[in-house]
């Protein structure tokens, strides 16, 4: 009997021992899971965007063959009752500001995010990965990405205009008590890194692709003639890197080429400056300028031929002395340079031209559109009533 009792006691001890070991293993497993979860929480900011991009790319790849019919269902957008409507495009989405918000959309027209921005005179600028919206004449600006608000700033001085660089830095030109135009550069996180002014009116700013500097066009009057000075600035130095001689024009826009030459689109001529700001090439206008766009090695300017029903687009390419000129019998409503191609629309068609002026594609339009952006081999077109999407080919 003693042996049986001893055996039962040993079995009970063994069972208690096993239960204890199972409990300890479970406890250690739970603690390990909690530790991993805590580590993931602490480090999620560094790796989550990477996996979001992978998931988004995978989703878009998986649905790209089945979205065609669904895409059209989101277009057109009715904007007839909205105010302050403008559009822009990044590499992986397009954006629209309307009423008091800026919204990012995918290729189907579905909303990705919408951010509240109560600006009186909103202006949208985009790069490949970010969008900048600022209140022209006001004091506020905001930078967003496809899914997130990066930063928002409230300035002490009135914003005249702003530009967004490819590396995320922004140039803001304000009016101050001391200067009629004052340039401030902010880095990609919204921190001030550079200031500059020459006492004249800053008319245009172009950021270089590396994000290390910019070109600035400032305007002054001498003897009743408007003149422009172009400066090249480095954000790590107080010294001016290059400065042009006086150019007798009012600058409307400037842009770097791939070789750090500088397009200067003036009110009465186009100039191409060397990297040292000496004039490499100039083209005087014969007709009144009606539109312009410059990007990298291509610049396009549209004209209205006075006294006739003809309109002209002149396409300039860095390295070539003569532009390609194409005549239209309808008014050219808008022109845009993108990926070394020139896009323009009349009331009846949207054309894509090569840098040599060759017609690459032609899309019929059923209405007049005041502006458009190029995104995902499509044009997103805007007028006072609607936003539509039209294919422009490869």
């Amino acid at each position: 009997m003693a042996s049986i009792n001893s055996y039962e006691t040993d079995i009970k001890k063994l069972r208690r021992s096993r239960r204890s070991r199972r409990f300890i293993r479970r406890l250690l497993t739970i603690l390990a899971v909690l530790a991993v979860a805590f580590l993931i929480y602490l480090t999620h900011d560094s790796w989550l965007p990477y996996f979001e991009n992978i998931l988004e790319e995978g989703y878009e790849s998986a649905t790209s063959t089945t979205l065609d019919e669904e895409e059209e269902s989101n277009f057109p957008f009715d904007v007839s009752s909205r105010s302050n409507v403008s559009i822009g495009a990044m590499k992986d989405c397009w954006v629209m500001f309307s009423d008091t918000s800026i919204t990012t959309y995918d290729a189907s027209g579905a909303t990705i995010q919408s951010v509240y921005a109560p600006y009186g005179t909103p202006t949208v600028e985009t790069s490949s990965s970010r969008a900048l919206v600022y209140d022209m004449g006001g004091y506020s600006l905001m930078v967003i990405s496809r899914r997130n608000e990066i930063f928002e700033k409230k300035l002490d001085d009135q914003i005249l205009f702003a530009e967004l660089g490819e590396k995320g830095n922004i140039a803001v030109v304000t009016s101050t008590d001391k200067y009629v135009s004052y340039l401030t550069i902010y880095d990609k996180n919204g921190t001030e890194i550079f200031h500059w002014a020459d006492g004249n009116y800053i008319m245009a700013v172009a950021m270089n692709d590396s994000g290390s500097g910019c070109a600035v066009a400032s305007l002054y009057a001498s003897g009743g003639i408007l003149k422009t000075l172009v400066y090249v600035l480095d954000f790590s130095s107080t010294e001016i890197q290059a400065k042009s001689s006086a150019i007798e024009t009012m600058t409307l826009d400037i842009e770097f080429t791939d070789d750090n030459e500088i397009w200067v689109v003036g009110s009465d001529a186009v100039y191409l400056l060397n990297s040292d700001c000496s004039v490499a090439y100039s083209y005087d206008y014969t007709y009144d300028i009606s539109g312009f766009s410059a990007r990298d090695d291509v610049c396009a300017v549209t004209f209205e031929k006075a006294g006739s029903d003809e309109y002209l687009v002149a396409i300039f390419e860095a390295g070539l002395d003569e532009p390609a000129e194409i005549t239209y019998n309808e008014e050219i409503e808008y022109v845009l340079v993108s990926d070394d191609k020139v896009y323009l629309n009349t009331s009846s068609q949207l054309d894509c031209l090569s840098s040599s002026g060759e017609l690459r594609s032609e899309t019929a339009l059923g209405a007049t559109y005041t502006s458009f952006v190029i995104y995902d081999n499509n044009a997103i077109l805007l007028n006072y009533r609607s936003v539509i999407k039209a294919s422009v080919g490869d």
Side-chain angles (χ1 to χ4, degrees):
M1 192 74 176
S3 63
I4 293 175
N5 290 336
S6 176
Y7 174 76
E8 290 177 347
T9 301
D10 291 341
I11 290 296
K12 290 177 181 178
K13 289 181 179 179
L14 179 62
R15 287 174 179 172
R16 283 196 298 269
S17 176
R18 287 177 177 174
R19 284 197 297 268
S20 297
R21 287 198 296 269
R22 283 199 300 268
F23 173 76
I24 292 172
R25 284 199 299 268
R26 288 173 183 173
L27 179 61
L28 291 175
T29 300
I30 292 171
L31 291 175
V33 170
L34 291 175
V36 171
F38 185 63
L39 180 63
I40 289 172
Y41 172 76
L42 290 177
T43 61
H44 76 281
D45 287 337
S46 63
W47 57 262
L48 186 57
Y50 173 77
F51 283 100
E52 282 183 347
N53 290 336
I54 292 177
L55 290 173
E56 287 170 8
E57 290 173 1
Y59 172 79
E60 291 172 2
S61 175
T63 58
S64 62
T65 59
T66 60
L67 274 176
D68 291 343
E69 293 182 2
E70 295 180 8
E71 285 180 3
E72 297 307 320
S73 67
N74 292 295
F75 290 92
F77 287 76
D78 182 2
V79 296
S80 59
S81 61
R82 303 188 190 187
S83 61
N84 296 327
V85 181
S86 58
I87 56 178
M90 292 185 265
K91 182 179 180 181
D92 54 3
C93 67
W94 63 278
V95 301
M96 178 167 65
F97 190 101
S98 65
D99 298 327
T100 57
S101 64
I102 183 166
T103 305
T104 58
Y105 299 90
D106 65 15
S108 72
T111 298
I112 300 171
Q113 71 159 337
S114 187
V115 182
Y116 180 62
Y119 299 165
T121 310
T123 303
V124 176
E125 300 285 344
T126 57
S127 67
S128 63
S129 60
R130 293 186 173 192
L132 161 70
V133 57
Y134 63 92
D135 194 3
M136 185 169 61
Y139 299 87
S140 298
L141 61 87
M142 178 187 297
V143 176
I144 66 170
S145 64
R146 187 177 193 264
R147 289 188 175 277
N148 300 295
E149 178 184 334
I150 306 300
F151 64 83
E152 184 176 14
K153 300 192 78 68
K154 179 82 172 183
L155 307 183
D156 294 329
D157 299 313
Q158 189 177 42
I159 301 172
L160 301 179
F161 69 92
E163 296 288 342
L164 175 63
E166 189 59 36
K167 295 299 184 180
N169 49 3
I170 59 174
V172 183
V173 177
T174 56
S175 176
T176 72
D177 293 337
K178 186 176 181 180
Y179 297 101
V180 293
S181 296
Y182 189 71
L183 172 66
T184 302
I185 303 296
Y186 299 88
D187 68 13
K188 64 180 181 180
N189 300 313
T191 302
E192 294 183 22
I193 60 171
F194 186 80
H195 302 272
W196 184 86
D198 69 347
N200 298 326
Y201 291 90
I202 299 175
M203 300 297 293
V205 178
M207 311 283 270
N208 64 22
D209 287 342
S210 67
S212 62
C214 69
V216 179
S218 72
L219 182 72
Y220 69 100
S222 177
I225 299 174
L226 294 177
K227 297 182 179 182
T228 288
L229 293 173
V230 177
Y231 300 86
V232 175
L233 308 175
D234 188 313
F235 301 149
S236 64
S237 174
T238 58
E239 299 294 327
I240 294 171
Q241 305 302 300
K243 178 182 176 181
S244 74
S245 57
I247 302 172
E248 293 188 3
T249 192
M250 182 177 70
T251 297
L252 306 175
D253 193 22
I254 58 175
E255 177 70 26
F256 280 106
T257 70
D258 290 335
D259 292 329
N260 287 321
E261 297 173 312
I262 303 169
W263 294 111
V264 178
V265 181
S267 56
D268 46 19
V270 166
Y271 297 85
L272 180 62
L273 306 185
N274 295 312
S275 57
D276 64 357
C277 287
S278 60
V279 177
Y281 173 81
S282 65
Y283 173 91
D284 294 327
Y285 304 157
T286 305
Y287 309 105
D288 293 333
I289 183 173
S290 59
F292 57 88
S293 179
R295 182 70 177 175
D296 298 327
D297 285 347
V298 179
C299 174
V301 182
T302 60
F303 305 96
E304 180 178 352
K305 294 185 177 181
S308 74
D309 295 328
E310 292 185 334
Y311 300 84
L312 178 73
V313 57
I315 302 173
F316 305 86
E317 186 173 4
L320 300 179
D321 293 336
E322 295 297 328
E325 298 181 344
I326 301 94
T327 299
Y328 283 79
N329 293 319
E330 290 183 295
E331 182 176 357
I332 300 172
E333 302 291 341
Y334 193 73
V335 62
L336 177 68
V337 175
S338 178
D339 291 330
D340 292 330
K341 294 185 284 290
V342 177
Y343 298 86
L344 60 87
N345 73 300
T346 67
S347 60
S348 66
Q349 66 191 51
L350 171 67
D351 287 354
C352 173
L353 307 172
S354 69
S355 59
S356 61
E358 178 186 0
L359 182 64
R360 299 283 297 274
S361 67
E362 183 180 24
T363 304
L365 299 175
T368 300
Y369 293 90
T370 55
S371 67
F372 59 84
V373 295
I374 303 299
Y375 164 63
D376 194 36
N377 292 327
N378 291 286
I380 310 297
L381 298 104
L382 168 70
N383 64 15
Y384 299 107
R385 296 179 299 278
S386 63
V387 175
I388 70 165
K389 183 174 71 172
S391 176
V392 293
D394 296 331

